[in-house]
PDB file of all heavy atoms in Angstrom:
ATOM      1  N   MET A 108       1.249 -17.085  11.282  1.00 53.00           N
ATOM      2  CA  MET A 108       1.459 -17.116   9.822  1.00 53.00           C
ATOM      3  C   MET A 108       2.963 -17.487   9.531  1.00 53.00           C
ATOM      4  O   MET A 108       3.816 -17.398  10.374  1.00 53.00           O
ATOM      5  CB  MET A 108       1.127 -15.759   9.205  1.00 53.00           C
ATOM      6  CG  MET A 108      -0.417 -15.493   9.345  1.00 53.00           C
ATOM      7  SD  MET A 108      -0.810 -13.908   8.716  1.00 53.00           S
ATOM      8  CE  MET A 108      -0.205 -14.006   7.030  1.00 53.00           C
ATOM      9  N   PRO A 109       3.254 -17.870   8.299  1.00 53.00           N
ATOM     10  CA  PRO A 109       4.639 -18.218   8.024  1.00 53.00           C
ATOM     11  C   PRO A 109       5.660 -17.074   8.128  1.00 53.00           C
ATOM     12  O   PRO A 109       5.277 -15.922   8.137  1.00 53.00           O
ATOM     13  CB  PRO A 109       4.509 -18.638   6.513  1.00 53.00           C
ATOM     14  CG  PRO A 109       3.104 -18.523   6.106  1.00 53.00           C
ATOM     15  CD  PRO A 109       2.329 -17.872   7.183  1.00 53.00           C
ATOM     16  N   LEU A 110       6.897 -17.487   8.250  1.00 57.00           N
ATOM     17  CA  LEU A 110       7.977 -16.477   8.133  1.00 57.00           C
ATOM     18  C   LEU A 110       7.929 -15.756   6.770  1.00 57.00           C
ATOM     19  O   LEU A 110       7.340 -16.175   5.789  1.00 57.00           O
ATOM     20  CB  LEU A 110       9.357 -17.176   8.305  1.00 57.00           C
ATOM     21  CG  LEU A 110       9.545 -17.801   9.728  1.00 57.00           C
ATOM     22  CD1 LEU A 110      10.861 -18.504   9.709  1.00 57.00           C
ATOM     23  CD2 LEU A 110       9.433 -16.768  10.809  1.00 57.00           C
ATOM     24  N   ALA A 111       8.567 -14.598   6.798  1.00 63.00           N
ATOM     25  CA  ALA A 111       8.498 -13.728   5.612  1.00 63.00           C
ATOM     26  C   ALA A 111       8.883 -14.441   4.283  1.00 63.00           C
ATOM     27  O   ALA A 111       8.266 -14.178   3.198  1.00 63.00           O
ATOM     28  CB  ALA A 111       9.412 -12.510   5.776  1.00 63.00           C
ATOM     29  N   GLU A 112       9.862 -15.335   4.381  1.00 67.00           N
ATOM     30  CA  GLU A 112      10.259 -15.992   3.110  1.00 67.00           C
ATOM     31  C   GLU A 112       9.224 -16.952   2.560  1.00 67.00           C
ATOM     32  O   GLU A 112       9.315 -17.348   1.383  1.00 67.00           O
ATOM     33  CB  GLU A 112      11.612 -16.702   3.351  1.00 67.00           C
ATOM     34  CG  GLU A 112      11.657 -17.819   4.343  1.00 67.00           C
ATOM     35  CD  GLU A 112      12.058 -17.258   5.709  1.00 67.00           C
ATOM     36  OE1 GLU A 112      11.987 -16.042   5.928  1.00 67.00           O
ATOM     37  OE2 GLU A 112      12.502 -18.128   6.537  1.00 67.00           O
ATOM     38  N   GLU A 113       8.240 -17.332   3.384  1.00 74.00           N
ATOM     39  CA  GLU A 113       7.188 -18.186   2.989  1.00 74.00           C
ATOM     40  C   GLU A 113       5.883 -17.380   2.589  1.00 74.00           C
ATOM     41  O   GLU A 113       4.919 -18.054   2.249  1.00 74.00           O
ATOM     42  CB  GLU A 113       6.851 -19.144   4.154  1.00 74.00           C
ATOM     43  CG  GLU A 113       8.064 -19.986   4.539  1.00 74.00           C
ATOM     44  CD  GLU A 113       7.772 -20.823   5.786  1.00 74.00           C
ATOM     45  OE1 GLU A 113       6.590 -21.115   5.989  1.00 74.00           O
ATOM     46  OE2 GLU A 113       8.732 -21.207   6.459  1.00 74.00           O
ATOM     47  N   LEU A 114       5.919 -16.132   2.654  1.00 79.00           N
ATOM     48  CA  LEU A 114       4.691 -15.343   2.392  1.00 79.00           C
ATOM     49  C   LEU A 114       4.508 -15.033   0.933  1.00 79.00           C
ATOM     50  O   LEU A 114       3.475 -14.421   0.583  1.00 79.00           O
ATOM     51  CB  LEU A 114       4.745 -14.022   3.187  1.00 79.00           C
ATOM     52  CG  LEU A 114       4.706 -14.088   4.650  1.00 79.00           C
ATOM     53  CD1 LEU A 114       4.889 -12.759   5.308  1.00 79.00           C
ATOM     54  CD2 LEU A 114       3.387 -14.664   5.115  1.00 79.00           C
ATOM     55  N   GLU A 115       5.387 -15.521   0.075  1.00 83.00           N
ATOM     56  CA  GLU A 115       5.272 -15.301  -1.415  1.00 83.00           C
ATOM     57  C   GLU A 115       5.175 -13.802  -1.754  1.00 83.00           C
ATOM     58  O   GLU A 115       4.335 -13.374  -2.547  1.00 83.00           O
ATOM     59  CB  GLU A 115       4.064 -16.089  -1.982  1.00 83.00           C
ATOM     60  CG  GLU A 115       4.165 -17.597  -1.659  1.00 83.00           C
ATOM     61  CD  GLU A 115       2.931 -18.301  -2.076  1.00 83.00           C
ATOM     62  OE1 GLU A 115       2.145 -17.813  -2.952  1.00 83.00           O
ATOM     63  OE2 GLU A 115       2.683 -19.359  -1.539  1.00 83.00           O
ATOM     64  N   LEU A 116       5.984 -13.063  -1.188  1.00 84.00           N
ATOM     65  CA  LEU A 116       5.967 -11.615  -1.383  1.00 84.00           C
ATOM     66  C   LEU A 116       6.549 -11.244  -2.739  1.00 84.00           C
ATOM     67  O   LEU A 116       7.685 -11.506  -3.016  1.00 84.00           O
ATOM     68  CB  LEU A 116       6.833 -10.872  -0.314  1.00 84.00           C
ATOM     69  CG  LEU A 116       6.265 -11.035   1.162  1.00 84.00           C
ATOM     70  CD1 LEU A 116       7.225 -10.541   2.126  1.00 84.00           C
ATOM     71  CD2 LEU A 116       4.899 -10.307   1.355  1.00 84.00           C
ATOM     72  N   GLY A 117       5.735 -10.643  -3.522  1.00 88.00           N
ATOM     73  CA  GLY A 117       6.111 -10.253  -4.951  1.00 88.00           C
ATOM     74  C   GLY A 117       5.775  -8.768  -5.155  1.00 88.00           C
ATOM     75  O   GLY A 117       5.440  -8.090  -4.177  1.00 88.00           O
ATOM     76  N   TYR A 118       5.691  -8.380  -6.356  1.00 86.00           N
ATOM     77  CA  TYR A 118       5.348  -6.936  -6.711  1.00 86.00           C
ATOM     78  C   TYR A 118       3.900  -6.757  -6.377  1.00 86.00           C
ATOM     79  O   TYR A 118       2.979  -7.243  -7.094  1.00 86.00           O
ATOM     80  CB  TYR A 118       5.590  -6.666  -8.187  1.00 86.00           C
ATOM     81  CG  TYR A 118       5.226  -5.281  -8.548  1.00 86.00           C
ATOM     82  CD1 TYR A 118       5.799  -4.156  -7.981  1.00 86.00           C
ATOM     83  CD2 TYR A 118       4.153  -5.043  -9.430  1.00 86.00           C
ATOM     84  CE1 TYR A 118       5.427  -2.902  -8.263  1.00 86.00           C
ATOM     85  CE2 TYR A 118       3.811  -3.764  -9.809  1.00 86.00           C
ATOM     86  CZ  TYR A 118       4.431  -2.688  -9.233  1.00 86.00           C
ATOM     87  OH  TYR A 118       3.975  -1.419  -9.570  1.00 86.00           O
ATOM     88  N   ARG A 119       3.638  -6.130  -5.265  1.00 85.00           N
ATOM     89  CA  ARG A 119       2.281  -5.720  -4.829  1.00 85.00           C
ATOM     90  C   ARG A 119       1.380  -6.945  -4.610  1.00 85.00           C
ATOM     91  O   ARG A 119       0.204  -6.923  -4.758  1.00 85.00           O
ATOM     92  CB  ARG A 119       1.641  -4.744  -5.727  1.00 85.00           C
ATOM     93  CG  ARG A 119       2.382  -3.471  -6.041  1.00 85.00           C
ATOM     94  CD  ARG A 119       2.634  -2.691  -4.767  1.00 85.00           C
ATOM     95  NE  ARG A 119       3.379  -1.466  -5.068  1.00 85.00           N
ATOM     96  CZ  ARG A 119       4.746  -1.387  -4.908  1.00 85.00           C
ATOM     97  NH1 ARG A 119       5.409  -2.409  -4.426  1.00 85.00           N
ATOM     98  NH2 ARG A 119       5.417  -0.288  -5.146  1.00 85.00           N
TER      99      ARG A 119
END
Side-chain angles (χ1 to χ4, degrees):
M108 291 175 62
L110 294 177
E112 58 266 23
E113 301 172 24
L114 291 175
E115 300 174 26
L116 297 169
Y118 176 65
R119 304 299 179 263

